[in-house]
Amino acid sequence: MAYRTYLMVCAGTGCVANQSIKIKDTLIKELEKKGLQDEVAVVTTGCNGFCGVGPIMVVQPDGIFYQLLKSSDIPYLVEEHLIKGRPVKKFMYIPSEKEPPIPKMSDIDFFKKQVLIALRNRGLIDPEKIEEYIARGGYSGLAKALTEMTPDQVINEVKKSGLRGRGGGGFPTGIKWETMKKVPGDVRFVICNADEGDPGAFMDRSIIESDPHAVIEGMLIGAYGMGSTQGYVYIRNEYPIALERLLKAIAQAKEYGLLGENIFGTDFKFDIRIIRGAGAFVCGESTALMASIQGMPGEPRAKYVHTVEKGLFDFPTCLNNVETWANVPQIIQKGAEWFTQIGTGDVTNDPWGGSKGTKVFSLTGKVVNTGLVEVPMGITLREIIYDIGGGIKDGKKIKAVQTGGPSGGFIPESMLDLPVDFDELTKVGSMMGSGGMIIADEDNCIVDMAKYFLNFTQEESCGKCIPCREGTKRMYDILENISVGKGTEEDLELLEDLSYMVVESSLCALGGSAPNPVLTSLKYFKDEYLTHVREKKCPAKACRQLNVYTIDEEICATVGHGCDLCKKSCPDFAIFGETKKAHHIDQMKCHKCGACYDACNFKAIKVE
Amino acid sequence: MSEEKKQNGWNPKIAAFLCNWCTYTGADLAGVSRLKSSPCVRIIRVMCSGRVDPSFILKAFKKGADGIFIGGCHIGDCHYSEGNYKTLRRIEFLKIFLEDFGIDPKRLRLEWISASEGDKYAATTLDFEKQIRELGPLTFMN
Amino acid sequence: MKPKLALYWASSCGGCEIAVVDIEAKILDVADFFDIVFWPCIMDFKYKDVEAMPDGDITLTLFNGAIRTSENEYLAKLLRAKSKVMVAFGSCAYEGCIPALANFYDKKKIFECNYINSPSLQESSKNVFPQTHTQMPEGEIEIPEFWNTVKSLDQVVDVDYYVPGCPPQSTQIIAVVEAVIDILKNGKPLPPKGTILGAGEKTICEECTRERKEKKIKKFYRPQEIIPNPDECLLDQGIVCMGPATRSGCDALCIKANMGCRGCYGPPPNVLDQGAKMVSALSSVIDSTDPKEVRDIIKTIADPLGTFYRFSMAHSIFHRVQKMEEEEK
Amino acid sequence: MERSIRMVTVNIDGKKIEVAEDTTILKAAEAAGIWIPSMCYSDLLEPYGVCRLCSVEVIRGKRSRIVTACNYPVREGLTVNTNSDKVKWIRKILMELMYSRWPNVPVVKEMAERLEVTKPRFVSLERDESENACILCGNCVNICRDVVKASVLSFEGIGIERKVVLPFNEQSETCISCGACAYVCPTGHIKIKSLETERGALQDFYLGPKSAINIPTLQAVPRVPVIDKNSCIKMQTGGCGICSEFCEPGAINYEMKDEEVDIEVGQILVTTGFNLFDPQQIPQYGYGRLDNVYNSLDFEFMLNSTGPTGGTIQCKDGSEPRAVGIIHCVGSRDENYKKYCSRVCCMYALKFAHLVKDRTKAEVYQFYIDMRAFGKGYEEFYKRLLDEGVNMIRGKVAEITEESYNGNKPHLLVKCEDTLIGKFREIPVDMVILCPAIEPAQDAAKIKKILSISQSPDKFFLERHPKLDPISTMTDGIFIAGCAQGPKDIPDSVAQASAAAARILSLISLGEVSVDPIKANVIEEFCSGCRICNNLCPYTAISFLEDKKISDINEMLCKGCGTCVAACPASAITGKGFTDEQILAELEGLLTV
């Protein structure tokens, strides 16, 4: 049954949070009211990535993109667009105040520069319907692998493609598979790591929400290649929509005979179990994740014996990230050669020789367009920030880019033309990580940001080994001291010394990478640190304890008429002044919390 | 005839084969305990109820016993481990036989009475005596 | 003067007479040595001739057959009086044998069976019972009276010796005859009174060549139910064999023919009651401790009384069945 | 599949060392006499690798890497540097981190000294000044989970909040009190406390052994610990085995098995004693349900100077009782339970009363049916107790309840009818001592079977004659004494046991015992070897003589039961003393009268 128009309502977590389901329901009701239910279909899709402007709806086949919808807008939209055939401009994307609205999705910069492999089906299919995935060529990669290829050929194809682990380490997937294949034994497992823990990152969630079958198909192909019959998906329980869609997808795949015994009429059998994680950051670490599946505390162990040899329940185990798995079907379907055309370097002889394919980043921070983007390897940071991201908010100056999640490093503005791939990022002291990308502008204090990330890692450290447990806490303490003006130049030395030690001696990658923000910030923004310790000032005014808050009495008296808001907000009762008259701050009492600054509506509070 | 005898103060003769370890001692206990047991019982002590040859029983009937009482240890408690099992089988067999011979098998009674069951001995013999009295005297044809 | 010999058949099948003739050429020695004065089976002797003999005139009487009728009893008493040595010859005279199986019933029951219920009876002759005295035109006919209980010879008269067997084996008869001739010729002392002649002191097992093992019986079989192993003890295989409770002497004749011993040689010495003893022995080796199972195993023996007392009924402790149904009512 | 051990050569600090492949660097270095510092390593456990002090530099080709020596397996050609500048630098900072957090823990201090860390550059906000602080090495958690397999201890919290805890911070029921955690704790942070002393009073005191390894009783001789097979984790499941790891002299042996020792004896004296009636069968007395209701053995235990209270008489809350009720005939002289009199209770109840009077100021109430003070000096003792002011109440107690008035501390209320004054009384007391019946030992029935002796209806062992022979049994050579024969007090038991001993000695001095000549034997001339009897004898006295083709009875094995005699179809077996002729003659005689 064909419809003349399809309304693709985004049902990614961001849009759902902004009532997209209610919009869908209203749409259906409205269409029925107008008698359009046989002409226009409403489809819920996975995340489009452009979460900053949700809820989103795309009208297909025209590709008209509507943003920031409200259910009250629907009757008007249906009337105008669907009955009268006039796309509604006021719901369209407007790049800047001066520019006209852009009606078509493909014309929006945010989407234009993206290359979709892992997210190729996003916004185009209903993720809860396996038929739609199949209609888009889904499971043909599996069919090809099972019917036309030997397991070794599958592994070889992946190896040739130069696919590297998208979870952060960038280990060549084909090599991992090959090593696992060589380990003797009948029992072996494959695991999909969907325990996405980086704050602000949601690539994996988005992939599962918009295209869960791609992950299942990838795991099936991998399992076939490595001779495994049991797979696990370790997924955060905080991802209810992703979890639900994955469970539905597994049930559908089982119904279609794509999971279970005799898949595609061959002897190959495979099943997937879902394990829900409780949200510990460290459980994204492979050994901790396996410990957690085994019902033990999520603690990493030394990986001197690799998990492909002795992993889950001491059996050979191949763990890959969601995005990695989602890439596999495309590689098998279209061939390694197609994949290697995208990306950097040459992987024909050395699997470490380059970065191929695409990477999904979650673009956040001080950019105009925040959301999820899939870009080809080798794209420059500048392209991502300015072309896709639409530049820095409020026309401010960019200070740094922090990639790779809380354990990634800062990249200064001077390096914005750095091509993004595994090795380049590592070279400058950051990392690809799972794909977080946070843009900092001039209002961000580097010390404060380093402290923020370190606070996260020291809190999320499992506490097993001393460098990570004690070391990161001490690092945080030092940063805290610096941020409140108690730091010395010796502290900076000690901080650096300690950071290097933690990197060297930690048990797992969490500790091994946690000091990255500190080390890169010390490397590229040493001056800012020095200002903090020498002058006890924070240039970005972000370290409030270093600030001196004063009230511009004139503004206060004349513009604000002594509104008392600051007085009421002050927890220390440090603000004095009669109502309707100018106020002032008793610096002896002020604890520099900045509450008054936030409270003042007339910008009468000055910070120095 | 039997009615006559019953009325003429007839007292049944009961031959009892009692095992030395259990029932004989039990009978002893009944005596020591001053319990009233059947006076009609004429006890023959055997070491084990397994010693009781069916011929003895037939002979006893022939010699004028109106009832025959065999007492042994409880199953599993036999002083000789398993002697009472054999007794059990012989008596089962013999009861079928007696019936064929035209003698009421109720006249033959096998009981397991342990050394401590003086009261049981007393009660059982009294009961048996009562039963024999109801059956009347045993007479033989020529 | 030759010693005098008498042979008589009371209630018997005549098999013993045939057995005597079956000693072949030896019969000539008998005829040669003895003066046969009474042998109704072979020649026409008259009772009155015997009656006319002085007491103790007959040296040896071989009496076979049980005492069923008044005539049997009369002849037994007569011959006893006229004989020096009275021998109960054959199983019937010794212990009742097959005729004594009638002791399961009484006269009334037997007559009912024969003269009322017998299917071969003509309607006219039904309910016609034999009378001891019948007045016929030719005169009064007297036929012997039918006793209630079949008895062995020694239950009626004093018996000197016994020769068991149904019939006694010819070899055994020869041995007895030779011994008797030897005694009479050479004046050897007679064996003690009551001696059982022509048989062993042990049981059939002594003569049986089958291999015997420790016994454990779970079920009894009738001979037609299984094909017994010819080398193994029949009892071990569950076939009732009276051998262990039967006097030796027949050379395990039946057992050699794959048939369990039927016990015609009577109980071994010391055994009071062949049937009861066999019951005791068999129940000792029944392989069960559960009373119900024991009963079930016992029930696999067909006709226990007839099996265990086939030959020794008259001589058993009870002689006969004690209570008749009528009497009960 | 057992892999053959491959030897590899590694280079540690320039020394070439040959070790088995997959040995850890730490072990290899130890073998070479090279010291690598470690705080968390324990020989008993899989390396956990948390202190990182054993970090060493591993060089393979051009690449150098920091690894932990405790769990890094060696491979052929590995070059290890345990003392490079980088390693020293790492250790120093690690030590500083530790030292700043636990400045007073001896092991940390020692290690810091050894690594030349005198003053840490860090200030730890989590600084723990105590000498036995937990340094989070994880040994306790690991030994409990991996070796003992009890998994009682675990880590709680992540990051700096990490600490070792019991589930919900409560005493865990799965804790087997093995003490392994305390043993492996390098700082003495884990201590083992006696729960009894902790709770202060007599809560749940219990007479039996408390843990799998114990000294059975206070007065055990020899006073050495034994392992209770039924509660030992090692013997039950194969897990744990921790005690042998700890026992330095290696005195622990799990392989020891219960042995059955055959001892040939001529006579047996059965003195298997008694059981105390379980008063829980009389629920209205509240034993096991109400606090401060004890049975006589509990109370004896309390009186014992080595007992849980050191001999002071006190309630569970530690207070001295104000009044004590002693209840006689609990289960004895009772139609519902034991009909007999247990004989000893009256007198020990009087003794209890005396001791309570002696040691406390409590009022004592005796609830009795009849006072049976029958022994020498007993009546006098009873009189003395009356003079001491013990309250004697004649009547059977109906019920004991717990009452509390006006929110005061609850006390017990003993309800009974005083038959002497003919009134129903309710007596408030703080403590009740029940005097339960003496009942036969639990395994009396088993012993009875083994020894072929009898039990009287009350299930005590039956004597041959209650008056003339109260120490022998029906079986020759087996004697009984003490409470195995019936309830009795110590003087009676001593007297009976002495008598039995004397009897036994007199038989021993005779040198030989005459036994009844009741034996069966085969009359050869009548046996034809039917083998009916072969299987009958439980003592295997009957055998078949293959050469003679007859059966034979070994008279020494024969016990004379006569089963075979009855079974012999040829009457070829006679039972001496009980021949067919004898029995038939007996029968004849009995039935002709």
Side-chain angles (χ1 to χ4, degrees), chain D residues 2-313:
Chain D
E2 197 68 27
R3 243 191 347 179
S4 59
I5 298 167
R6 221 174 68 171
M7 298 305 280
V8 294
T9 311
V10 291
N11 182 332
I12 302 181
D13 292 351
K15 280 192 197 174
K16 284 222 187 300
I17 300 157
E18 190 172 303
V19 289
E21 193 177 37
D22 288 346
T23 316
T24 61
I25 295 176
L26 191 76
K27 284 274 172 203
E30 197 178 87
I34 295 165
W35 177 73
I36 295 175
S38 172
M39 294 286 286
C40 67
Y41 184 79
S42 166
D43 266 336
L44 304 174
L45 296 163
E46 285 281 303
Y48 193 43
V50 298
C51 75
R52 319 300 289 174
L53 274 183
C54 63
S55 290
V56 292
E57 198 169 359
V58 165
I59 298 150
R60 280 183 106 174
K62 280 181 189 169
R63 291 173 62 178
S64 110
R65 209 178 144 193
I66 297 291
V67 300
T68 40
C70 64
N71 54 6
Y72 193 88
V74 299
R75 297 279 150 82
E76 178 64 45
L78 191 76
T79 304
V80 181
N81 196 340
T82 71
N83 220 8
S84 68
D85 288 346
K86 194 171 178 185
V87 169
K88 279 195 231 167
W89 162 72
I90 286 172
R91 286 181 191 160
K92 185 162 171 287
I93 299 179
L94 282 170
M95 210 55 237
E96 280 181 286
L97 287 170
M98 272 188 259
Y99 199 14
S100 64
R101 185 161 177 188
W102 304 296
N104 295 323
V105 174
V107 281
V108 177
K109 264 160 77 176
E110 276 164 37
M111 188 62 81
E113 234 167 80
R114 210 161 168 180
L115 295 175
E116 291 161 4
V117 172
T118 46
K119 194 171 177 297
R121 289 176 288 169
F122 305 105
V123 179
S124 176
L125 301 177
E126 295 79 25
R127 189 177 164 92
D128 187 339
E129 299 275 357
S130 64
E131 281 181 22
N132 47 18
C134 171
I135 61 166
L136 298 168
C137 66
N139 283 356
C140 51
V141 174
N142 292 341
I143 203 157
C144 192
R145 185 190 58 224
D146 298 339
V147 180
V148 182
K149 308 217 186 301
S151 293
V152 175
L153 291 166
S154 66
F155 283 112
E156 180 203 71
I158 55 173
I160 202 79
E161 305 290 334
R162 184 175 171 97
K163 56 181 180 245
V164 174
V165 292
L166 289 163
F168 308 109
N169 286 317
E170 283 172 7
Q171 179 59 38
S172 167
E173 281 176 20
T174 47
C175 173
I176 58 167
S177 305
C178 68
C181 48
Y183 182 82
V184 292
C185 180
T187 69
H189 181 68
I190 300 180
K191 288 181 216 70
I192 296 178
K193 274 190 261 185
S194 157
L195 291 175
E196 277 77 27
T197 42
E198 165 119 297
R199 291 171 193 169
L202 268 169
Q203 219 153 19
D204 302 332
F205 72 75
Y206 147 75
L207 293 166
K210 285 181 172 57
S211 70
I213 302 183
N214 57 68
I215 295 172
T217 65
L218 296 166
Q219 282 86 26
V221 179
R223 208 175 146 77
V224 290
V226 291
I227 300 179
D228 174 15
K229 185 174 79 176
N230 294 324
S231 44
C232 170
I233 306 263
K234 172 83 176 172
M235 292 181 181
Q236 293 296 311
T237 68
C240 193
I242 206 71
C243 50
S244 72
E245 306 264 15
F246 297 163
C247 180
E248 277 171 24
I252 290 177
N253 179 1
Y254 302 112
E255 305 305 313
M256 275 175 132
K257 289 266 146 44
D258 288 357
E259 267 180 86
E260 273 187 23
V261 184
D262 291 334
I263 302 170
E264 257 180 48
V265 295
Q267 298 172 84
I268 296 168
L269 175 54
V270 183
T271 52
T272 47
F274 68 100
N275 251 23
L276 203 59
F277 172 82
D278 179 8
Q280 290 201 26
Q281 293 178 43
I282 310 178
Q284 62 268 35
Y285 285 179
Y287 182 73
R289 177 166 55 86
L290 300 176
D291 280 350
N292 299 317
V293 176
Y294 301 114
N295 74 19
S296 49
L297 267 186
D298 295 339
F299 192 66
E300 279 287 352
F301 193 44
M302 191 194 292
L303 292 172
N304 195 318
S305 55
T306 56
T309 62
T312 46
I313 297 166

Side-chain angles (χ1 to χ4, degrees), chain A residues 75-209:
Chain A
Y76 178 70
L77 190 129
V78 169
E79 180 74 29
E80 283 293 308
H81 188 147
L82 297 173
I83 296 177
K84 297 180 178 160
R86 295 192 292 230
V88 186
K89 285 202 175 135
K90 68 169 178 180
F91 301 139
M92 287 177 188
Y93 174 74
I94 304 164
S96 67
E97 280 166 30
K98 294 152 207 159
E99 290 170 66
I102 302 170
K104 288 212 170 194
M105 187 179 183
S106 51
D107 294 335
I108 299 171
D109 277 344
F110 183 81
F111 294 106
K112 213 156 67 181
K113 285 229 171 182
Q114 293 193 42
V115 174
L116 302 184
I117 297 178
L119 290 169
R120 71 186 185 98
N121 285 331
R122 77 169 184 197
L124 298 176
I125 62 166
D126 184 341
E128 298 191 4
K129 290 185 176 144
I130 190 172
E131 297 85 354
E132 300 197 3
Y133 178 72
I134 293 170
R136 292 265 300 155
Y139 287 112
S140 58
L142 175 67
K144 186 177 170 190
L146 286 183
T147 54
E148 293 170 28
M149 296 165 86
T150 64
D152 286 331
Q153 277 172 334
V154 169
I155 291 177
N156 207 35
E157 197 69 21
V158 174
K159 208 171 133 193
K160 267 198 327 208
S161 76
L163 177 66
R164 288 169 69 172
R166 299 297 195 238
F171 191 90
T173 308
I175 305 275
K176 192 190 259 186
W177 289 17
E178 196 177 51
T179 322
M180 164 114 153
K181 175 88 184 167
K182 281 179 191 157
V183 178
D186 297 330
V187 182
R188 47 191 65 218
F189 300 110
V190 295
I191 297 177
C192 172
N193 182 353
D195 190 63
E196 195 173 34
D198 290 1
F202 53 105
M203 296 69 63
D204 296 344
R205 190 190 75 200
S206 183
I207 291 171
I208 294 176
E209 282 178 8

Side-chain angles (χ1 to χ4, degrees), chain C residues 7 28 51 74 214 227 302:
Chain C
L7 289 105
L28 298 175
E51 283 160 2
Y74 171 74
E214 291 181 358
I227 298 170

Side-chain angles (χ1 to χ4, degrees), chain B residues 13 25 42 51 86 116, chain D residues 455 474 536 578 580 591:
Chain B
K13 287 179 186 171
T25 318
R42 289 133 200 250
R51 174 67 184 92
K86 283 132 203 167
S116 59
Chain D
Q455 286 172 298
M474 287 297 170
L536 303 183
F578 289 88
D580 285 5
L591 292 171

Side-chain angles (χ1 to χ4, degrees), chain D residues 312-378:
Chain D
T312 46
I313 297 166
Q314 61 185 45
C315 295
K316 278 201 174 164
D317 60 6
S319 65
E320 193 183 281
R322 293 164 293 181
V324 175
I326 300 174
I327 300 176
H328 295 226
C329 299
V330 174
S332 45
R333 300 186 69 196
D334 189 328
E335 286 294 317
N336 297 320
Y337 305 100
K338 308 284 174 194
K339 293 183 179 113
Y340 51 84
C341 166
S342 291
R343 291 183 64 177
V344 299
C345 327
C346 282
M347 290 320 290
Y348 75 62
L350 289 178
K351 179 191 85 174
F352 285 166
H354 176 70
L355 287 170
V356 172
K357 278 273 170 199
D358 190 38
R359 295 189 190 179
T360 71
K361 296 193 186 70
E363 199 65 31
V364 179
Y365 297 91
Q366 296 262 5
F367 300 89
Y368 67 102
I369 304 177
D370 294 300
M371 276 312 296
R372 298 192 164 176
F374 61 91
K376 187 178 178 185
Y378 288 1

Side-chain angles (χ1 to χ4, degrees), chain A residues 23 29 51 64 66 68 89 109 149 172 174 223-224 229 234 382 415 436 440 443 460 544 550 568 591:
Chain A
I23 287 168
K29 251 188 246 160
C51 305
I64 307 292
Y66 289 123
L68 295 164
K89 285 202 175 135
D109 277 344
M149 296 165 86
Y224 171 71
T229 57
Y234 188 89
R382 196 177 293 282
M415 295 182 178
D443 285 348
E460 286 292 345
R544 292 188 161 175
T550 51
K568 284 174 189 160
H591 275 82

